[in-house]
Amino acid sequence: MDLDVFVTAHRAEWDRLDHLLHRGRRLTGAEADELVALYQRTATHLSLIQSTAPDPALTTRLTQLVARARATVTGARRATWRDAARFLTAGFPAAVYRSRRWWIPTAILSTLLAAVIGWWIGAHPEVQSAIAAPDELRGMTRPGGEYETYYSSHPAASFAAQVWTNNAQAAAMCLVLGAFLCLPVVWILFVNVLNLGVGIGLMSSAGRLDIFLGLILPHGLLELTAVFVAAGTGLRLGWTLIDPGPYSRRTAMARQGRAALGMALGLALVLFVSGLIEGFVTPSGLPTWARIAVGVAAEVAFLAYVYVLGGRAVRAGETGDVDAADRSAELPVAA
């Protein structure tokens, strides 16, 4: 193909398309039809040039022209408050509900492991001495020690923000790193469980386990649930890489990855609530039963949110993925 002849023959069409695009919404019906026809022709021209006579400058110009025309023809979709409401009332709870077979076993096994680690440390003084020197252990577990003052060591607002940031980062890492065959998720989860087990073991050995649980439970129920949900979702993402099911590996990972991204946003909100509880309720002067009641109420509310709204949304066909119009086309696969 003679590129110069081709450009001379079609330059007027490209210029006309560019002119129509600059006019935006002020097109008549006939001009709108003309824009669609010119968009289709220019896309064909671009394909011909790329396959037969690739010219960097011309290819760049036509690529930009076709992209602008496609956005005008198909219309750019903008997120609205309705999208946010749909995400909070259907998309996010449905995604959590659908992944329950991953995060519920994760929560049960992690809790049992933390209890076993706590018992092992609490029942074996030699293990405690390997963790820290006796003076350091007393400094952590005594009345007014580090375990108690930790929650009031900073102003409530800044402490809540710091806690939320740290927990949101841990949850995001579980979701993102799940694609690496689950191993990083298992490690992050183990570190969190180990820290909890050490606290249980050291405070129980000092005869102050009730104080420790009174400090952990108000925010820990919701916080740990969010971490378990993130870890379970990350494990599910990693397993999808191993066993994509009836879809191609690329399609299956895209589906799970989009759902995981939505989960990250939703869990950030959940962890924000647990951070507020940890910053303002846990170190407050409320009786222990009242602080624990706040934590239990937050946990029950979240589980009801997942099982009532999420279950209803799943039965209505919600998957937690983005709308079909916002997804790239998927190639059919063999049955």
Side-chain angles (χ1 to χ4, degrees):
M1 182 178 69
D2 189 319
L3 187 60
D4 292 333
V5 173
F6 188 84
V7 171
T8 301
H10 298 289
R11 179 184 285 123
E13 294 178 303
W14 304 335
D15 292 341
R16 176 60 177 168
L17 177 58
D18 186 59
H19 172 72
L20 292 175
L21 291 173
H22 277 100
R23 292 192 57 188
R25 296 178 179 272
R26 298 170 303 189
L27 298 176
T28 65
E31 288 173 333
D33 292 339
E34 182 185 5
L35 187 147
V36 173
L38 289 173
Y39 158 58
Q40 294 172 335
R41 287 183 215 160
T42 305
T44 303
H45 298 161
L46 175 61
S47 178
L48 287 172
I49 291 172
Q50 288 176 324
S51 60
T52 59
D55 178 82
L58 183 59
T59 299
T60 300
R61 184 198 171 190
L62 293 186
T63 299
Q64 294 173 349
L65 194 59
V66 168
R68 289 168 52 207
R70 182 180 185 276
T72 301
V73 170
T74 60
R77 186 178 183 278
R78 297 181 179 178
T80 63
W81 286 109
R82 183 177 298 178
D83 295 320
R86 178 182 173 276
F87 170 74
L88 292 176
T89 58
F92 174 58
V96 179
Y97 182 84
R98 291 182 71 245
S99 64
R100 68 192 185 282
R101 291 183 178 86
W102 287 88
W103 62 263
I104 290 178
T106 298
I108 294 174
L109 293 176
S110 298
T111 302
L112 290 175
L113 180 59
V116 170
I117 292 175
W119 167 82
W120 182 56
I121 292 176
H124 296 82
E126 66 276 11
V127 178
Q128 300 169 30
S129 62
I131 294 174
D135 291 341
E136 294 177 337
L137 293 177
R138 282 192 294 271
M140 289 188 287
T141 59
R142 64 178 175 80
E146 295 176 15
Y147 275 117
E148 291 185 40
T149 58
Y150 169 75
Y151 298 101
S152 56
S153 57
H154 296 88
S158 62
F159 183 73
Q162 177 184 348
V163 166
W164 174 65
T165 302
N166 293 338
N167 290 334
Q169 287 177 345
M173 289 176 64
C174 284
L175 292 168
V176 173
L177 297 179
F180 295 91
L181 299 178
C182 307
L183 297 179
V185 178
V186 173
W187 173 251
I188 294 171
L189 189 61
F190 175 74
V191 170
N192 280 273
V193 168
L194 179 62
N195 290 333
L196 177 61
V198 168
I200 292 174
L202 294 181
M203 289 295 278
S204 65
S205 68
R208 309 190 71 237
L209 181 60
D210 57 332
I211 302 297
F212 181 75
L213 294 179
L215 293 170
I216 286 292
L217 291 179
H219 64 274
L221 290 173
L222 187 60
E223 178 184 297
L224 287 174
T225 299
V227 172
F228 294 147
V229 170
T233 304
L235 293 173
R236 183 184 186 186
L237 183 62
W239 185 253
T240 299
L241 184 62
I242 299 172
D243 180 14
Y247 303 101
S248 68
R249 184 166 281 104
R250 179 177 179 179
T251 298
M253 288 295 292
R255 284 171 172 252
Q256 295 300 332
R258 289 191 299 263
L261 179 60
M263 294 274 274
L265 297 175
L267 289 176
L269 296 176
V270 175
L271 289 169
F272 177 73
V273 175
S274 72
L276 290 178
I277 296 174
E278 189 168 359
F280 292 93
V281 176
T282 298
S284 70
L286 291 173
T288 300
W289 67 265
R291 288 186 279 113
I292 293 178
V294 171
V296 171
E299 175 73 1
V300 170
F302 176 71
L303 293 178
Y305 166 74
V306 169
Y307 275 86
V308 175
L309 290 184
R312 182 188 304 160
V314 168
R315 288 188 292 273
E318 178 66 55
T319 64
D321 200 351
V322 298
D323 289 337
D326 297 323
R327 302 196 297 261
S328 58
E330 297 176 355
L331 294 175
V333 295

